[in-house]
């Protein structure tokens, strides 16, 4: 880390309308170290775009979705007049969007192209808002530097290529301008647009921070940091001022919706601190995620991730055999499925997958199940929630018997503990999960 450069990322609600954008512009104005800004699509836009990529809509429904996207832009444009350079780019992008929206059945590449329009449009508008508060801002197409593979809907970044391109094309701009660019999107080796998966703008910001050798990433969202649990569920939830990279990674992975789980990877790899705060209340503090030598042992948070699939694979062939798990995981990986929890017994293995609503593609395809069924008995259970206790040195010892007492009221489908001292996870019925989280928070995290 050799610079003071800060990469700021503004999420969908932070750039939802003109007033929200103006608050963000003030944040950039007040921190001269912010040289790169990555924006999300304005709130709601990506959901409409995901809908547009789904073939089953009638023409009228498609038009309705296109109109809804345009209405969000127009609402901002009512209060912002674009300079010529931005207006030209904006209009051209909008025309591309309208043209693509006429196609009924989209290829995987076209679907990612469709999803990219939200960020591409909001970045023109936000650049202008920055100019309105006196900042010398330019818009930059992130696809020139954020290089990925061609795994559409969930592309993997090419860290090296991204770094090389950023040094050549992005870094030279930073001494003179604040560069506004897009989160979420990238480009594959043959120039096709890719996306990093839903919520990927945080990840983009961290990748850009790494590529330009920034000292920190500021993630501006609609909450004042990462909470001990979802404050909508527990009124006594409190923001956590500091988290280690490990704890933050676990929290993001296990459902604290504030950060995309991959964000911590580049940050911890390159020692870049991450701040999470609210663009509505920039002075209200937030959470700093940093390298920490020592974290207080104990439970810091409880999270939940709904819509989990539990896949149980059973085969007598597994008895005393080797290579069964390797075979399963090879198939899952060929479908690019990422597994969260795994438990095994002598002849079966249970694993959990995410089935997020509004994901840009379903996690579990029938073709994958068919392939697995060729050599084992497959059971799929839905409507489950993964609840995770996050902290440091979490151990199921006698002093955690409180936990067992709290959980004894609920049906626990699976428990995972031991692979990491930063979490203890279990799977519960979705209909119980809010109550489980409330009970755990109340007994283990409040007034202790
Ligand atoms: N706009 C994208 C989404 O809604 C990416 C992001 O906002 O992080 O998933
Ligand atoms: Mg987000």
């Amino acid at each position: 880390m050799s610079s003071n450069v800060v990469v700021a990322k503004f999420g969908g609600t932070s750039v939802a309308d003109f007033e929200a954008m103006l608050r963000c512009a003030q944040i950039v104005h007040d921190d001269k170290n912010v040289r790169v800004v990555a924006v999300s699509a304005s709130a709601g836009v990506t959901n409409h775009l995901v809908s547009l990529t789904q073939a089953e809509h009638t023409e009228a429904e498609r038009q309705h979705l296109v109109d809804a996207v345009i209405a969000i832009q127009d609402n901002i444009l009512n209060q912002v007049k674009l300079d010529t350079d931005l207006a030209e780019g904006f209009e051209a992008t909008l025309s591309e969007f309208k043209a693509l929206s006429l196609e009924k059945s989209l290829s995987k590449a076209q679907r990612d192209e469709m999803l990219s329009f939200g960020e591409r449009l909001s970045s023109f508008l936000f650049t202008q808002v920055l100019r309105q508060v006196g900042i010398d801002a330019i818009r930059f197409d992130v696809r020139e530097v954020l290089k990925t593979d061609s795994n559409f809907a969930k592309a993997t970044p090419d860290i090296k290529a991204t770094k090389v391109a950023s040094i050549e094309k992005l870094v030279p701009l930073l001494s003179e301008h604040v560069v506004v660019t897009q989160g979420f999107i990238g480009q594959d080796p043959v120039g096709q647009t890719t996306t990093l998966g839903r919520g990927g703008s945080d990840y983009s910001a961290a990748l850009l921070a790494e590529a330009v050798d920034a000292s920190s990433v500021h993630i501006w969202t609609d909450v004042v940091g990462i909470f001990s649990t979802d404050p909508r569920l527990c009124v006594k939830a409190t923001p956590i001022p500091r988290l280690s990279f490990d704890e933050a990674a676990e929290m993001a992975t296990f459902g604290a919706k504030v950060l995309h789980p991959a964000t911590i990877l580049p940050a911890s790899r390159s020692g870049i601190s991450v701040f999470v705060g609210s663009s509505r209340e920039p002075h209200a503090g937030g959470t700093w995620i940093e390298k920490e030598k020592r974290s207080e042992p104990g439970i810091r948070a409880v999270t939940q991730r709904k819509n989990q699939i539990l896949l149980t694979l059973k085969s007598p062939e597994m008895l005393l055999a080797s290579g069964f798990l390797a075979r399963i995981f090879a198939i899952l990986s060929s479908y690019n499925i990422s597994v969260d929890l795994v438990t095994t017994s002598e002849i079966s293995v249970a694993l959990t997958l995410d089935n997020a609503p509004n994901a840009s593609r379903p996690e579990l395809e029938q073709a994958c199940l068919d392939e697995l069924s060729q050599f084992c008995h497959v059971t799929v259970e839905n409507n489950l929630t993964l609840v995770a206790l996050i902290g440091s040195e979490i151990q199921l010892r006698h002093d955690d018997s409180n936990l067992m007492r709290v959980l004894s009221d609920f049906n626990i489908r699976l428990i995972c503990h031991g692979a990491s001292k930063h979490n203890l996870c279990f799977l519960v019925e979705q209909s119980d999960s809010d109550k489980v989280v409330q009970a755990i928070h109340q007994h283990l995290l409040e007034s202790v």
Side-chain angles (χ1 to χ4, degrees), residues 9 199 202 257-258:
K9 179 257 169 176
D202 303 331
K257 298 238 170 44
V258 192

Side-chain angles (χ1 to χ4, degrees), residues 268-285:
S268 82
R269 189 166 57 210
S270 303
I272 299 167
S273 5
V274 181
F275 172 78
V276 181
S278 164
S279 64
R280 276 187 177 278
E281 302 170 78
H283 304 294

Side-chain angles (χ1 to χ4, degrees), residues 49-93:
L49 297 174
V50 169
S51 232
L52 266 172
T53 62
Q54 290 155 355
E56 66 272 10
H57 293 300
T58 63
E59 216 149 288
E61 284 166 343
R62 303 172 63 75
Q63 190 54 50
H64 190 72
L65 290 164
V66 172
D67 291 346
V69 170
I70 294 176
I72 295 172
Q73 319 304 318
D74 282 349
N75 180 36
I76 300 170
L77 277 171
N78 282 338
Q79 281 161 286
V80 177
K81 188 170 168 349
L82 294 179
D83 293 341
T84 322
D85 60 324
L86 297 172
E88 279 170 7
F90 183 85
E91 285 308 324
T93 308

Side-chain angles (χ1 to χ4, degrees), residues 380-425:
V380 181
E381 288 169 63
N382 285 293
N383 297 325
L384 295 163
T385 296
L386 192 162
V387 174
L389 300 182
I390 314 286
S392 281
E393 305 291 327
I394 297 184
Q395 286 169 14
L396 267 181
R397 294 174 310 226
H398 51 280
D399 53 349
D400 293 325
S401 59
N402 230 343
L403 173 65
M404 287 309 168
R405 218 172 309 129
V406 175
L407 294 181
S408 65
D409 290 343
F410 303 98
N411 181 18
I412 308 292
R413 186 62 191 80
L414 175 148
I415 294 191
C416 243
H417 178 51
S420 150
K421 283 188 173 175
H422 297 289
N423 74 53
L424 190 164
C425 299

